[in-house]
Amino acid sequence: QVQLVESGGGSVQAGGSLRLSCAASGFRVSSNCMGWFRQAPGKEREGVASIDSYGITTYGDSMKGRFTISQDNAKNTLYLQMNSLNPEDTAMYYCAARVWGGTYCGLTYRSWATYYWGQGTQVTVSS
């Protein structure tokens, strides 16, 4: 049974950092495309970062240089290190897995929608 459990969200002031974790079970994160998405109130869900089975990463434009996606294969866990946070980063952050999803590992939400998702973890950045 595939399961994704996020943790690490919270409240932080602008300029601060947070590290999100996504503990996976039922499959190997190292063998599949993994991603982070976020959704702010009243907005569509958007791709934050992804990492494929070769370790190749993709980032959304506003996240480049501030966010880093990584994984610990021994712990079967995905991470998102977020630095230089600003109020526009406030959102619910979701971990997603394209288990047996082929080679696509971009950040288009509709290409992930039917795969596996965690319950989300809230990130709030105050100015």
Side-chain angles (χ1 to χ4, degrees), residues 8-57:
S11 297
V12 64
Q13 290 193 326
S17 299
L18 283 173
R19 188 177 82 154
L20 307 183
S21 299
C22 173
S25 58
F27 71 103
R28 302 300 303 171
V29 298
S30 59
S31 300
N32 294 277
C33 174
M34 301 293 298
W36 288 98
F37 287 74
R38 69 185 185 185
Q39 188 166 20
K43 294 188 177 181
E44 293 184 350
R45 194 166 298 193
E46 67 170 334
V48 174
S50 65
I51 182 167
D52 70 11
S53 59
Y54 297 99
I56 297 173
T57 57

Side-chain angles (χ1 to χ4, degrees), residues 4 26 40 62-63 67-68 74 77 86 95 108 113:
L4 300 168
S62 66
M63 298 81 176
F67 292 8
T68 302
T77 298
N86 58 62
C95 171
T108 301

Side-chain angles (χ1 to χ4, degrees), residues 1-126:
Q1 180 180 359
V2 172
Q3 189 173 15
L4 300 168
V5 180
E6 301 101 330
S7 61
S11 297
V12 64
Q13 290 193 326
S17 299
L18 283 173
R19 188 177 82 154
L20 307 183
S21 299
C22 173
S25 58
F27 71 103
R28 302 300 303 171
V29 298
S30 59
S31 300
N32 294 277
C33 174
M34 301 293 298
W36 288 98
F37 287 74
R38 69 185 185 185
Q39 188 166 20
K43 294 188 177 181
E44 293 184 350
R45 194 166 298 193
E46 67 170 334
V48 174
S50 65
I51 182 167
D52 70 11
S53 59
Y54 297 99
I56 297 173
T57 57
T58 303
Y59 294 93
D61 287 343
S62 66
M63 298 81 176
K64 292 177 181 176
R66 300 189 300 127
F67 292 8
T68 302
I69 189 171
S70 63
Q71 57 195 39
D72 184 328
N73 295 335
K75 295 182 178 180
N76 210 35
T77 298
L78 182 74
Y79 300 100
L80 183 69
Q81 177 67 43
M82 305 186 293
N83 298 328
S84 302
L85 286 163
N86 58 62
E88 289 70 38
D89 295 315
T90 295
M92 184 72 77
Y93 283 71
Y94 298 91
C95 171
R98 281 179 54 93
V99 180
W100 300 108
T103 59
Y104 176 80
C105 203
L107 293 175
T108 301
Y109 170 64
R110 64 177 180 270
S111 296
W112 292 74
T114 59
Y115 287 89
Y116 297 94
W117 291 82
Q119 81 289 348
T121 186
Q122 178 68 38
V123 171
T124 302
V125 185
S126 58

